[in-house]
Amino acid sequence: MEFSHIDKDGLPKMVDVTSKEESFRVARASGKIFVGKDVIEAIENGLLPKGDVFATAKVAAINAAKKTFELIPLCHNIFLSFVDVSYKIDREEGYIEAVSEIKTEAKTGAEMEAITAVVIFLETVYDMCKAVKKDMVITDVRLIEKSGGKSGHYIFENENKTAKVVSINISRQKGTPKEPVSEAILIEDYGIEGDAHAGSSHRQVSLLDISSIKKLKQYGLKGLCYGKFAENITTENLDLQRISLGTKLKIGNNVLLEISQIGKKCHGSGCEIARTVGVCIMPKEGLFAKVLKGGKIKTGDIIEILNE
């Protein structure tokens, strides 16, 4: 067996990429740190003695990504055109999840930079919080996606779940519950035909993933039907970590949406769900979109997050 990182004398060597052509590459990695509800509460209330946890962790992660070649002996020094780390807090499970994204125009990929950024982000969170708690656990660090280069596109198999439409819901009049229908017509720059909330605003279509709805089971809410949260399209396996303002979603063969808002405020003193169980998902995880290209959609249609 021939080893790529060992020379003829059995000593370590860097792989020679001189003859390779540069190409645009993207790498994403993720990881979690279980800190517990008490630490999350301390972070959110500004009670930690070291200050702003996430601002510090993000700067540390960006610096670490740029210095990856100094930390890993046989890693190439590549120019990083973009480095970012986003995070989300799961209060109920007591963890913080970080997702890095690295972009480069280079002869080799940025997978190691993406993983390093996540690890250092999580380690910095630990360092910022250790005065409050010592038994925090960093876990599930992994490359979740890479594109570009000879090996092409890779997605971590647990991430490679097909997103699809599980329900389409419309209401004929405002203030009335949305009812599921098997198919619907989306009209460009308007919304769903026949839905009372369609119009020329930027919130023409609303979406909510079933994973968000399932979170309410822990609050004892049973019998949730699709459309209960006033979402037009209930999705399944939609990777919310890849969604940001401006993200484009292709549904079925023709329909194209552009995410125009993430989350919203409940109406008045709170929606029906918030009044019933004390919490609502739509204000934080609901998605709103404009219709860039219309057409017919039906339950079971595949949803594709379009690459930049």
Side-chain angles (χ1 to χ4, degrees):
M1 181 177 180
E2 184 177 348
F3 296 98
S4 62
H5 287 70
I6 297 178
D7 66 16
K8 59 182 178 61
D9 298 318
L11 299 174
K13 71 170 184 178
M14 177 181 282
V15 172
D16 188 352
V17 297
T18 304
S19 62
K20 294 180 67 176
E21 293 186 1
E22 292 186 348
S23 64
F24 179 67
R25 302 165 185 263
V26 179
R28 298 170 63 243
S30 69
K32 298 177 181 178
I33 180 168
F34 283 83
V35 299
K37 295 181 181 180
D38 53 341
V39 172
I40 290 176
E41 183 176 350
I43 293 173
E44 294 182 328
N45 292 326
L47 300 177
L48 293 175
K50 289 191 175 183
D52 192 327
V53 171
F54 298 124
T56 305
K58 188 165 185 173
V59 171
I62 292 171
N63 282 339
K66 294 188 292 184
K67 291 179 175 292
T68 299
F69 75 98
E70 296 179 6
L71 303 171
I72 301 175
L74 304 181
C75 187
H76 291 84
N77 179 12
I78 59 176
F79 174 76
L80 304 183
S81 57
F82 178 78
V83 181
D84 191 32
V85 181
S86 60
Y87 66 90
K88 70 174 184 179
I89 299 172
D90 191 313
R91 295 171 181 81
E92 299 307 317
E93 297 295 328
Y95 69 80
I96 297 163
E97 182 172 21
V99 178
S100 66
E101 182 176 26
I102 309 289
K103 297 179 182 179
T104 183
E105 189 86 21
K107 296 182 177 183
T108 187
E111 293 95 321
M112 297 313 302
E113 285 78 4
I115 293 171
T116 300
V118 161
V119 170
I120 296 303
F121 183 97
L122 298 174
E123 284 191 26
T124 303
V125 171
Y126 186 101
D127 181 62
M128 297 291 287
C129 301
K130 66 185 181 183
V132 176
K133 191 172 187 177
K134 299 290 192 295
D135 58 346
M136 295 175 283
V137 177
I138 294 174
T139 184
D140 293 335
V141 175
R142 63 198 185 195
L143 178 74
I144 56 176
E145 185 176 12
K146 61 85 60 180
S147 61
K150 185 177 179 180
S151 62
H153 193 196
Y154 162 84
I155 299 179
F156 185 75
E157 63 178 61
N158 287 348
E159 301 287 321
N160 194 16
K161 297 178 180 178
T162 302
K164 63 182 180 180
V165 176
V166 295
S167 183
I168 304 166
N169 319 292
I170 66 173
S171 53
R172 303 294 179 181
Q173 295 181 347
K174 291 186 178 181
T176 61
K178 291 191 184 298
E179 299 292 339
V181 295
S182 59
E183 59 183 36
I185 300 293
L186 273 72
I187 302 172
E188 183 177 326
D189 199 26
Y190 182 74
I192 295 181
E193 184 178 63
D195 183 64
H197 294 85
S200 59
S201 75
H202 69 285
R203 285 170 34 179
Q204 296 168 359
V205 178
S206 56
L207 305 93
L208 187 66
D209 196 73
I210 195 170
S211 61
S212 298
I213 298 175
K214 288 179 179 178
K215 292 179 182 179
L216 291 188
K217 288 184 177 180
Q218 61 190 301
Y219 294 97
L221 195 64
K222 299 179 180 180
L224 274 178
C225 61
Y226 299 132
K228 186 74 172 180
F229 291 88
E231 80 276 10
N232 289 125
I233 301 175
T234 313
T235 65
E236 184 176 30
N237 296 328
L238 190 62
D239 186 354
L240 300 179
Q241 294 179 358
R242 297 178 61 191
I243 302 294
S244 58
L245 291 180
T247 297
K248 293 180 176 61
L249 305 178
K250 180 181 179 183
I251 304 180
N253 295 322
N254 299 308
V255 172
L256 184 63
L257 305 181
E258 182 179 68
I259 299 301
S260 56
Q261 182 175 322
I262 300 175
K264 71 177 186 69
K265 293 183 179 180
C266 279
H267 298 294
S269 59
C271 66
E272 178 185 347
I273 298 297
R275 290 193 298 268
T276 302
V277 298
V279 66
C280 183
I281 298 295
M282 204 67 180
K284 183 178 180 182
E285 300 184 18
L287 303 175
F288 298 88
K290 296 184 66 174
V291 182
L292 298 185
K293 184 178 180 181
K296 179 184 288 187
I297 64 171
K298 60 184 183 301
T299 55
D301 274 351
I302 300 301
I303 303 174
E304 182 182 357
I305 301 177
L306 299 183
N307 292 330
E308 296 181 346

